[in-house]
Amino acid sequence: SQQGEEDPQALSIQEGENATMNCSYKTSINNLQWYRQNSGRGLVHLILIRSNEREKHSGRLRVTLDTSKKSSSLLITASRAADTASYFCATVTYSGNTPLVFGKGTRLSVIA
Amino acid sequence: DVKVTQSSRYLVKRTGEKVFLECVQDMDHENMFWYRQDPGLGLRLIYFSYDVKMKEKGDIPEGYSVSREKKERFSLILESASTNQTSMYLCASKQGSGANVLTFGAGSRLTVL
């Protein structure tokens, strides 16, 4: 059962521009996470935001969470060609031994 | 610095063959997971394990089984491979409690002919 749905499915921008990806989910969550996947590789955790947080920063990444709208956004500022990858949101419905539920991802292409 | 290792990056098997996908983690994590990833479908959970010898079905367990005899190793088994099991298989692990952040292996791309 996939809960997170990313939007857009694909995004193409020029180097130096900002990239924004959105994630919507259906049920209450404990936390929401963003992962990155380079082509043909495994996923790498980027950032986690808890349900009682509204915004979080990590380097060039900014994540927001709006639990009233059941949505999150990932902003990558000053994008680089190396940011080209697929980005996935994943939700955790409650803490403990709970599998993460992933969306289908946004494929980001940053053109040099 | 490799923490989750999947034994095979690429495999080609024939329909009806028994296939073993091995995953080993060196972080002493309690929980381990197998996902498959297909274009347009994202990641779907096949099986997961909370502890040694324990297993739980995910969203798409049909056609698969798993084995966890040791804490560090979680094996995915395709008893009789079929062409619709051609996919990228991703293993992941995490601590038993806390933030639930997953560490993934590099993936195993399986082609069934």
Side-chain angles (χ1 to χ4, degrees), chain A residues 44-77:
Chain A
V44 176
H45 178 259
L46 293 175
I47 195 165
L48 178 152
I49 186 164
R50 301 185 189 282
S51 59
N52 60 354
E53 297 175 312
R54 293 295 167 258
E55 188 171 312
K56 205 161 181 181
H57 296 255
S58 177
R60 292 184 296 114
L61 305 180
R62 173 181 169 244
V63 170
T64 62
L65 179 64
D66 186 336
T67 53
S68 67
K69 295 181 179 178
K70 292 186 168 58
S71 68
S72 173
S73 67
L74 171 67
L75 169 68
I76 303 174
T77 60

Side-chain angles (χ1 to χ4, degrees), chain A residues 1-2 35 37 96-97 100, chain B residues 31 37 41 50 59 96 100 102:
Chain A
S1 55
Q2 286 175 317
Y35 288 78
Q37 183 183 34
N97 294 329
L100 276 68
Chain B
N31 300 338
Q37 183 178 23
L41 297 178
Y50 293 143
D59 297 319
N100 294 292
L102 290 177

Side-chain angles (χ1 to χ4, degrees), chain A residues 1-2 31 33 35 37 40-43 45 48 50 88 92 95-100 102-104, chain B residues 9 31 33 35 37 40-43 45 48 50 59 88 90 94 96 99-102 104-106:
Chain A
S1 55
Q2 286 175 317
N31 68 73
Q33 303 174 30
Y35 288 78
Q37 183 183 34
R41 307 295 294 184
L43 281 71
H45 178 259
L48 178 152
R50 301 185 189 282
F88 294 84
V92 179
S95 61
N97 294 329
T98 310
L100 276 68
F102 286 84
K104 297 179 183 179
Chain B
R9 288 282 286 129
N31 300 338
F33 305 82
Y35 292 88
Q37 183 178 23
L41 297 178
L43 277 75
L45 182 64
F48 58 103
Y50 293 143
D59 297 319
M88 170 71 107
L90 294 166
K94 72 176 180 73
N100 294 292
V101 172
L102 290 177
F104 280 86

Side-chain angles (χ1 to χ4, degrees), chain B residues 97-112:
Chain B
S97 60
N100 294 292
V101 172
L102 290 177
T103 301
F104 280 86
S108 297
R109 185 167 294 281
L110 172 66
T111 301
V112 183

Side-chain angles (χ1 to χ4, degrees), chain B residues 77-101:
Chain B
I77 303 156
L78 288 67
E79 292 291 339
S80 178
S82 62
T83 55
N84 63 12
Q85 292 178 310
T86 292
S87 186
M88 170 71 107
Y89 290 88
L90 294 166
C91 175
S93 69
K94 72 176 180 73
Q95 293 282 11
S97 60
N100 294 292
V101 172

Side-chain angles (χ1 to χ4, degrees), chain B:
Chain B
D1 193 35
V2 175
K3 296 178 178 175
V4 179
T5 303
Q6 293 183 230
S7 56
S8 302
R9 288 282 286 129
Y10 300 96
L11 302 94
V12 179
K13 299 291 181 181
R14 297 208 173 272
T15 300
E17 279 193 77
K18 189 169 186 176
V19 182
F20 291 87
L21 299 179
E22 305 285 347
C23 176
V24 177
Q25 52 94 5
D26 63 1
M27 296 166 287
D28 202 35
H29 284 172
E30 288 82 5
N31 300 338
M32 297 187 74
F33 305 82
W34 276 106
Y35 292 88
R36 68 174 279 178
Q37 183 178 23
D38 301 287
L41 297 178
L43 277 75
R44 294 180 290 168
L45 182 64
I46 306 172
Y47 266 97
F48 58 103
S49 169
Y50 293 143
D51 202 347
V52 176
K53 296 191 184 295
M54 295 184 68
K55 60 184 179 183
E56 297 283 344
K57 292 180 180 179
D59 297 319
I60 51 163
E62 295 79 18
Y64 303 94
S65 63
V66 290
S67 172
R68 190 151 182 219
E69 295 298 316
K70 294 185 177 181
K71 190 176 185 180
E72 67 270 19
R73 186 180 297 270
F74 193 35
S75 303
L76 181 68
I77 303 156
L78 288 67
E79 292 291 339
S80 178
S82 62
T83 55
N84 63 12
Q85 292 178 310
T86 292
S87 186
M88 170 71 107
Y89 290 88
L90 294 166
C91 175
S93 69
K94 72 176 180 73
Q95 293 282 11
S97 60
N100 294 292
V101 172
L102 290 177
T103 301
F104 280 86
S108 297
R109 185 167 294 281
L110 172 66
T111 301
V112 183
L113 302 175

